[in-house]
């Protein structure tokens, strides 16, 4: 059994906001150099395996798409004034835009312009995956001010055979059971969705690499949907070792935590809810639905993996979502740190969750002659078990209740039941069950 | 799979209030010519089998009673003024009154008079099944005004060996499974209780006769209690094909819908609650209890059939119940039509409830290359499936969730999940399970 | 089946407050003459077996402790004024105090003085089981007024090999199944905690001895913890006959009833909640926790007996708890009588809880020809079954629902379902199941 976690175990080893800031300017998409550059930066912190899967490869019901790369994209007036420039903000060009160089009437251009009339100062994030299309995204106010008859548009991009890129790190544990942690790496300059998830997953991987591990930890950095589908295709034969899974997204904003449950109910659901309940922070638990992030793929009927999704703001419900307002001001060090600590607590719980059986379960053992009252007093300042925690543990250590079961029933933080287990184990009152 | 129901499928083919009005004047009882006349009128619309079971026949713990028929019943003053006349309202004579022709003191007559002191203008409905008795029912105010010393009473009736009459229609389906729909036909001029049920059952039988049917539909028009007991005795060996059942009563008044659950929990309970929930109308679900209508017999312990009871006003709780106020003004075309539509929706649900399995359940299928986004857009105006409905369907099509299970989990009307199933089936993404 | 209980069955045969008053002055502890004297008084009412278990005997994880007896304990001024005297209130001396005779400075004495600064007029109850210690308990105000430099302390006590004493009465029933009722006998002059439990257990034992019994009733009068552990050690091989159990404590105060559920859920939990619900008195049901009274031992994991705990005031939560305010004014005849009646009702329920099966479960039986409407009318004044109760019984008498199941589902007092069962049994409509 690992030692009791200390406060420092809940502090990331890297500056999370700093990592988000470093990744922010890169133009990411489902495929292409931006994803590779992102994963290379992540690789500076963790021992990430980079996988390339060729365009056209059949993956479940899908095929790996063409690779998209873009060098520039502008709208200029006929007099040469640059009004919209990809170099200023990579949201300005519709994802997967094909190249174009033309003079268009305003009406022709309007067919390719995306704005947010109700948020007229923001640039929307739009993408046209797999569609033979091009477009620009701009603030509605700017578009309204563009009243010339003609404009010059110029997108210098490639859509060509290449590959899909994803990153994977597996940290083996003492047992074959593993925890899956995934995030998506396919969004351009959007800080919360999902650089927050990438940064936190990176820091958690650094943390788990340093820790003794009963469970294995698998970190996936995937382009959404097609990346998850590709990974599932390639790993189909070994999914049964995944005992708990969590999709990490939108974890840097100031909204309350939202946990979306797995499809069929799982320990991860009870564990996350327990950690949130004892966090002292507001939270909401939402039932599974088949929309959202890559839990859609992991929870598809033939896989039905025990995977939930942890968020703060919920996709589609906060005003900054998929706009240029999801920027480096929208995510904070404080929120990132809270999210990191929450998940670190969760991983400690999953790793420490065991089942014990009293050596002799008849009546209460005599605590005094074993020095357990003294031991409890000694733990007190370290936030250890109370006498009541120890009584709960000794009562429920029947080989059928896990520590998580006990913590939920006693309604106290998991770590205190774990501390009680340590006391009882040291006193030879219990044995661990397989 | 049947085509999507259209609005016209939810309109009765006959004038429900007109049928109630035609049946209203007939004097019905457990037995006798009124029941026969009633079933003959119903037979004008549907191919009803009329069954006669002789007085004295042993049926479960009971025996078929004597047949009662009545020609007239009056109370007149000694001077010949007719104060109470069965010809005016058949509620005036206590059901199963034996014949009498006598002059009685007011005090003697008082032993045989039933009134409602708290509703002094209304005639109560009373019956004395199986009791050697006679009586009159009249408004309390009329009785109070009757201050003569003596009155002449004259009831011209027979209680004699005959038979019990009930009607049955079975519409076979593709499978041996069937839905039981029952109503009682033993009340005299009471419009809601239960001419509403008779009229709606008749119209539903007409509807189901025209529809393709996966399930069989059995319509029973029974005298209450003894009729149900008689039918159960005669059909005991084949009850196991009844998969869903509903007792129809008091469906023409303006009260909110009330559904009383089956004894042991059944799909019918979940189905009715689902339809009511998405009806936009107020409703209440009540747990089973052993009082009420013929669900008492269908849900007796040795049968324990999956039979609930759908009502608007609940017997014994609304002021018009079992009085002369339960008349043709109390039931409305609008309420009858709503009830009909509600049950038609329910029958479409029961008939359409199937289980599907994804041909390949790994990940989400690619909707775009199968034209499913276009198909969804095409269905939109017809109230078809949304993209979210289709995602729910594809996620839960695992051979274990019925369409009803899915609709309840997604919390959307059943028909939308059914429409999603059609899209997926057309795209060969799923197969139907047995 | 026993006859219907009458009101007099719910009245104790002895004056409960009188018995509490008689026991109050005795100094009880885990062991010693006070326990013996207490059990001797109880033996005057019931045929109690007194058991003595020698000091040092190994019992589960424990050993029977030394026996403690005390003759006197005083604090006097140097001038001879007696300030604190065990003879005035046996709470004044810390339980298991070793003998001492000394002159001490006030500061030295302060190490051995226990007070309640927030309840300065009350003497606390404290005990130092198994610790090599001595002490005095006194009102904080008195201690504040003691400003001399030195005091004389004198405790004349023995801690010596002897035995632990407990009482047991078993009233056999027709079957081998039994109900366990326990109370603790180790507290000195505290009326509610737990002379109330002792008095009520005594009266209940008198009651059950007079009654026909389907179940056996086992009454235990135990020193807390070590007494329960000792009894469990000595009876380990025959615990499987205990089908229901209840710890009785703090039953004489005016607080609402509190029932603490058993560890793993049991009929006793549903039965107590049912009785409380229909008592017309306020009550609260609390989930099991591993703190409290001897349910801790009975519900330890290797035993996991179906034992709950019935209280009014909950230990540790009412101001009189473990102070000199838990005296003969704090407990009332009225509250003791209510508690007795509540448990008597519960025992009648447990003893009368059976399962029945309709001889012919098809449809409703005809009540009229069996005289059951008359029988119901006849029972009415005696609080017997209503027609609805009989219908519930006949509907649920399927061999799978106990009378308690039926009473909970019908939401009527158990005794009415029991009365319905009697009617149906008399009419040969049902048979009792094994």
């Amino acid at each position: 059994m690992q030692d009791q976690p200390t406060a420092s175990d809940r502090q990331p080893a890297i500056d999370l906001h700093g990592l988000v800031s470093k990744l922010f300017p890169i133009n990411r998409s489902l495929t292409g150099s931006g994803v590779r550059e992102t994963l290379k930066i992540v690789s500076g912190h963790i021992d990430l395996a980079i996988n390339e899967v060729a365009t056209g490869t059949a993956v479940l019901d899908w095929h790996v798409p063409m690779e998209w790369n873009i060098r520039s994209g502008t709208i200029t007036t006929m007099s040469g004034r640059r009004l919209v420039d990809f170099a200023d903000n990579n949201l300005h060009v519709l994802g997967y835009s094909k190249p174009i160089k033309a003079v268009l009437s305003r009406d022709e251009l309007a067919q390719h312009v995306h704005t947010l009339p109700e948020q007229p100062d923001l640039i929307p994030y739009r993408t046209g995956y797999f569609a033979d299309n091009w477009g620009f995204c701009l603030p509605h106010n700017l578009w309204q001010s563009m009243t010339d008859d003609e404009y010059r548009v110029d997108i210098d991009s490639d859509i060509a055979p290449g590959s899909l890129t994803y990153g994977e790190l597996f940290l083996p544990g003492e047992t074959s059971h593993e925890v899956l942690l995934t995030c998506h790496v396919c969004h351009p300059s959007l800080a919360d969705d999902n650089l927050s998830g990438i940064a936190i997953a990176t820091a958690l991987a650094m943390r788990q690499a340093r820790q003794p591990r009963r469970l294995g930890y698998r970190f996936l950095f995937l382009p959404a949907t097609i990346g998850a589908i590709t990974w599932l295709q390639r790993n189909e034969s070994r999914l049964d070792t995944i005992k708990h899974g969590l999709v990490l997204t939108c974890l840097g904003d100031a909204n309350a935590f939202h946990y979306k449950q797995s499809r069929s109910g799982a320990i991860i659901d009870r564990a996350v809810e327990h950690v949130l309940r004892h966090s002292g922070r507001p939270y909401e638990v939402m039932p599974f639905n088949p929309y959202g992030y890559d839990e859609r793929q992991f929870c598809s009927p033939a896989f039905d993996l025990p995977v939930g999704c942890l968020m703060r703001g919920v996709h589609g419900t906060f005003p900054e979502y998929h706009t240029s307002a999801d920027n480096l001001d929208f995510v904070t060090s404080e929120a990132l740190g809270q999210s990191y600590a929450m998940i670190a607590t969760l991983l400690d719980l999953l790793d420490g969750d065991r089942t014990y059986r009293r050596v002799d379960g008849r009546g209460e053992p005599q605590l005094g002659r074993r020095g357990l009252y003294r031991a409890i007093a000694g733990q007190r300042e370290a936030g250890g078990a109370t006498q009541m925690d120890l009584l709960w543990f000794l009562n429920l250590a029947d080989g059928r209740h896990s520590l998580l079961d006990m913590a939920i029933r006693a309604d106290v933080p998991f770590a205190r039941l774990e501390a009680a287990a340590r006391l009882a184990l040291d006193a030879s009152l219990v044995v661990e069950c397989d």
Side-chain angles (χ1 to χ4, degrees), chain A:
Chain A
M1 178 180 282
Q2 66 188 67
D3 289 337
Q4 202 179 345
T6 63
S8 69
D9 285 329
R10 306 281 156 81
Q11 295 291 334
I14 51 169
D15 172 4
L16 293 170
H17 199 276
L19 180 54
V20 168
S21 303
K22 189 166 178 184
L23 297 170
F24 188 75
I26 302 168
N27 184 54
R28 279 164 294 271
S29 180
L30 283 189
T31 58
S33 59
V35 175
R36 286 187 196 97
E37 196 178 338
T38 297
L39 295 182
K40 193 173 168 201
I41 291 170
V42 169
S43 294
H45 300 287
I46 60 176
D47 189 20
L48 200 64
I50 311 291
N51 299 269
E52 299 281 353
V53 184
T55 294
T57 305
V59 284
L60 303 182
D61 194 53
W62 305 60
H63 290 84
V64 172
M66 295 288 206
E67 186 173 323
W68 182 59
N69 285 290
I70 175 169
R71 283 162 295 278
S72 65
T74 54
I75 304 177
T76 50
T77 62
M78 296 311 289
S79 61
R81 191 155 60 90
R82 195 168 289 181
L83 299 177
V84 174
D85 191 344
F86 174 79
D88 295 336
N89 191 319
N90 56 34
L91 299 181
H92 273 315
V93 176
L94 180 77
Y96 266 73
S97 279
K98 62 184 177 183
I100 186 166
K101 187 160 189 162
V103 173
L104 298 177
S105 73
R106 192 189 189 277
D107 284 356
E108 286 168 326
L109 178 57
Q111 305 302 312
H112 295 270
V113 161
H114 304 270
T115 70
L116 295 167
E118 303 201 352
Q119 296 172 295
D121 293 323
L122 302 183
I123 311 167
Y125 164 55
R126 292 281 186 280
T127 186
Y129 300 142
F130 317 141
D132 176 30
N133 202 355
W134 62 268
F136 286 91
C137 300
L138 47 154
H140 194 67
N141 284 342
L142 173 59
W143 176 241
Q144 294 290 89
S145 72
M146 288 166 64
T147 53
D148 294 355
D149 289 343
E150 293 191 318
Y151 291 95
R152 243 182 249 285
V153 299
D154 187 350
I155 297 177
D156 178 15
S157 66
D158 299 317
I159 303 180
S163 60
L164 175 149
T165 314
Y166 71 86
E168 180 167 6
L169 168 64
F170 180 60
L171 301 169
E174 294 162 22
T175 68
S176 65
H177 293 184
E178 65 182 73
V179 181
L180 183 73
L181 293 150
T182 84
C183 56
H184 58 275
V185 295
C186 52
H187 283 185
S189 293
L190 297 172
D192 198 34
D193 180 18
N194 187 27
L195 299 179
S196 67
I198 297 171
I200 288 171
T202 302
L204 290 167
M206 295 170 71
R207 177 187 197 269
Q208 297 308 104
R210 293 190 315 264
Q211 298 249 8
R213 294 179 300 273
R214 189 170 60 92
L215 307 177
Y217 292 84
R218 189 173 299 275
F219 292 85
L220 300 180
F221 298 78
L222 303 169
T225 304
I226 189 68
I229 283 168
T230 300
W231 185 85
L232 283 162
Q233 165 82 56
R234 290 158 65 101
N235 293 275
E236 189 176 355
S237 65
R238 35 169 303 290
L239 300 176
D240 59 344
T241 57
I242 298 174
K243 300 303 175 189
H244 318 285
L246 200 59
V247 174
L248 305 181
T249 182
C250 295
L251 287 164
D253 64 79
N255 290 292
F257 284 95
H258 286 79
Y259 175 68
K260 174 177 159 181
Q261 295 173 319
S262 68
R263 177 180 185 267
S264 297
I267 292 171
I268 186 73
D269 298 337
R270 301 174 74 230
V272 175
E273 183 158 2
H274 178 76
V275 169
L276 291 171
R277 176 174 170 80
H278 291 280
S279 69
R281 301 196 184 285
Y283 69 94
E284 191 177 328
V285 174
M286 306 154 65
F288 176 78
N289 73 59
Y291 200 67
Y293 295 97
D294 282 338
E295 68 277 7
R296 293 164 65 162
Q297 310 308 327
F298 295 114
C299 296
S300 57
F303 299 128
D304 199 16
L305 293 172
V307 175
C309 178
L310 188 65
M311 306 159 265
R312 299 185 71 132
V314 175
H315 53 90
T317 68
F318 54 94
E320 298 83 359
Y321 177 73
H322 277 198
T323 74
S324 53
D326 180 359
N327 58 27
L328 292 172
D329 294 332
F330 182 56
V331 301
T332 66
S333 284
E334 187 188 4
L336 290 163
Q338 288 166 356
S339 299
Y340 172 90
M342 193 79 78
I343 305 168
T345 302
L346 173 72
L347 299 185
D348 288 342
L349 186 165
L350 295 173
D351 212 273
D353 193 23
R354 286 147 211 233
T355 302
Y356 297 89
R357 197 180 59 247
R358 289 264 300 278
V359 173
D360 180 349
R362 300 172 304 156
E364 290 178 4
Q366 206 179 347
L367 304 183
R369 69 171 165 91
R370 293 187 168 83
L372 284 164
Y373 290 120
R374 271 197 311 281
I376 287 168
Q379 279 196 353
R380 195 158 300 160
E381 291 193 8
T386 64
Q387 183 182 337
M388 192 68 176
D389 299 333
L390 183 58
L391 291 176
W392 270 115
F393 175 79
L394 294 170
N395 186 274
L396 295 178
D398 56 7
R400 293 189 308 272
H401 291 82
S402 70
L403 283 181
L404 177 59
D405 294 334
M406 296 181 192
I408 289 171
R409 186 155 176 189
D411 198 20
V412 299
F414 178 87
R416 279 176 36 199
L417 264 295
E418 205 177 22
R422 264 193 303 276
L423 292 175
L425 205 56
D426 289 348
S428 301
L429 286 171
V430 294
V431 291
E432 189 179 337
C433 301
D434 290 335

